[in-house]
Amino acid sequence: DVLASFFGRADANDFLVPLLITCLNDRAWTLRVAFFEKIAKVGRFVGVASTEAFLLPCVERCLADDSDEVAAAALRCLGDMCGADEDSEEQTCDPNASSSRDYARAGSGATLRKRSVLAAARRAAPALCHPAGAVR
């Protein structure tokens, strides 16, 4: 998020986010885990529209990663994007949202609208049956 602040919102959307997403192509599971540990904060910075269009599909795709550690990190990241990060007091404002009711939890760290949270929950639900306890 510090790097995103340095670039500013427009350049972070245009240059930083695409560059960070390429980390998911790396074979090293530790790099993919590190991506998910930080990308929710970048999502808060770039806004709801970019998070839903570019970051959320990456998170959802990695819910079925071969590495249990990556799948667990993707689930934690998804929780942060949905506003499960209780420590965050930032409020994401998106001029494209029709009202504050469109956010998962107004005033929280949520960076997704309710419909995206519900769709993501449907995609994440199979993780409840995952054999690895860290993913469940």
Side-chain angles (χ1 to χ4, degrees):
D1 59 331
V2 174
L3 193 56
S5 297
F6 172 78
F7 280 107
R9 182 171 281 183
D11 285 342
N13 273 316
D14 294 342
F15 303 110
L16 183 62
V17 170
L19 179 64
L20 292 174
I21 289 172
T22 64
C23 294
L24 295 176
N25 295 325
D26 198 282
R27 290 188 179 271
W29 67 267
T30 53
L31 180 59
R32 296 193 314 271
V33 166
F35 171 87
F36 290 118
E37 288 173 350
K38 301 296 181 185
I39 203 66
K41 289 182 180 181
V42 173
R44 278 189 211 107
F45 181 79
V46 298
V48 174
S50 292
T51 300
E52 289 180 344
F54 304 114
L55 300 178
L56 182 59
C58 295
V59 174
E60 290 174 342
R61 185 188 63 150
C62 289
L63 292 174
D65 196 275
D66 290 338
S67 168
D68 294 342
E69 291 86 356
V70 174
L75 281 168
R76 285 190 300 273
C77 179
L78 185 59
D80 291 346
M81 288 179 166
C82 292
D85 183 6
E86 295 293 332
D87 296 333
S88 176
E89 294 182 12
E90 297 178 42
Q91 182 171 354
T92 303
C93 297
D94 187 349
N96 297 322
S98 58
S99 74
S100 62
R101 290 174 287 152
D102 286 339
Y103 296 99
R105 287 177 33 213
S108 72
T111 53
L112 300 175
R113 290 178 276 236
K114 285 183 183 179
R115 65 176 168 219
S116 295
V117 171
L118 294 173
R122 276 188 236 105
R123 289 185 191 97
L128 294 171
C129 298
H130 197 280
V135 177
R136 282 194 305 265

